[in-house]
Amino acid sequence: MTSSSVLDLAPVVPVVVLEDAADAVPLARALVAGGLPAIEVTLRTAAALDAIEAIAAEVPDAVVGAGTVISARNVSDTVAAGARFLVSPGWTDSLLDAMKASEVPFLPGVSTTSEVVALLERGVSEMKFFPAEAAGGTAYLKALSAPLPQARFCPTGGISLASAPTYLALPNVGCVGGSWMVPGDAVAAKDWARVERLAGEAAALRG
């Protein structure tokens, strides 16, 4: 799987924060059933690595990835746990080297034109645009598409069901990242039917 195929798996990549690893498998099954197989589990909680490992082992139709990857240690730990792609909020040379060496697809985060050009110079053309809404949103990405058409993005940060279609309509956007289909109250209540329904709405968004 190449990193471009991560962008093409589904129109939306759920960005998941899990406090309890026991919720990982039923949550992943609900997302997959709704049509969202690529799942980004963020490294924001102590349960994240166990959650990635559980999804990788028990939900074969899911393509589980790790988000908030900010160090070489994060790269090695998440790949060992079963992550099949990596997403970072930003990048440095050393982090990029570690992600490249992992041999799994990765989406390094950018928010400026210079960062995009620097990644293209390093042979990377698929990126996360973060924080999307705060960094200029669809207007910024549209402006990038003319001088840098070879760059493709997964915008993440502040995107909703209502705003996602305007991003997906852009030629340089492969998918968007978001958390609206995994609301905290639904996860806390273990309302997996609601998660599946919200995932289905998101999966139907291809612009």
Side-chain angles (χ1 to χ4, degrees):
M1 181 173 67
T2 65
S3 48
S4 59
S5 69
V6 174
L7 295 180
D8 297 331
L9 278 171
V12 180
V13 176
V15 178
V16 175
V17 180
L18 284 169
E19 300 291 342
D20 185 350
D23 292 331
V25 167
L27 177 66
R29 286 175 176 156
L31 291 169
V32 170
L36 301 181
I39 302 168
E40 176 188 334
V41 177
T42 69
L43 300 183
R44 300 180 195 176
T45 68
L49 284 175
D50 288 340
I52 291 169
E53 188 169 10
I55 294 169
E58 299 182 47
V59 192
D61 292 332
V63 181
V64 64
T68 324
V69 173
I70 58 172
S71 69
R73 176 67 181 270
N74 288 162
V75 172
S76 58
D77 286 350
T78 55
V79 171
R84 294 171 60 187
F85 65 94
L86 306 171
V87 184
S88 68
W91 68 278
T92 63
D93 285 327
S94 60
L95 178 58
L96 189 66
D97 288 344
M99 291 194 292
K100 280 189 168 187
S102 74
E103 299 186 348
V104 302
F106 58 90
L107 297 172
V110 296
S111 61
T112 70
T113 307
S114 293
E115 291 170 324
V116 175
V117 172
L119 281 178
L120 291 173
E121 194 175 76
R122 294 286 302 270
V124 178
S125 59
E126 288 91 24
M127 314 166 193
K128 171 180 177 173
F129 179 59
F130 176 83
E133 287 288 284
T138 54
Y140 195 95
L141 287 169
K142 187 175 182 180
L144 286 181
S145 65
L148 301 170
Q150 64 272 55
R152 295 182 76 219
F153 300 95
C154 175
T156 305
I159 299 174
S160 66
L161 179 67
S163 64
T166 59
Y167 281 94
L168 292 168
L170 296 174
N172 56 350
V173 170
C175 63
V176 300
S179 57
W180 73 85
M181 76 298 300
V182 284
D185 57 344
V187 176
K190 305 188 190 303
D191 188 351
W192 311 127
R194 181 181 171 203
V195 171
E196 181 177 343
R197 176 177 58 78
L198 293 171
E201 292 175 356
L205 283 179
R206 176 62 70 198

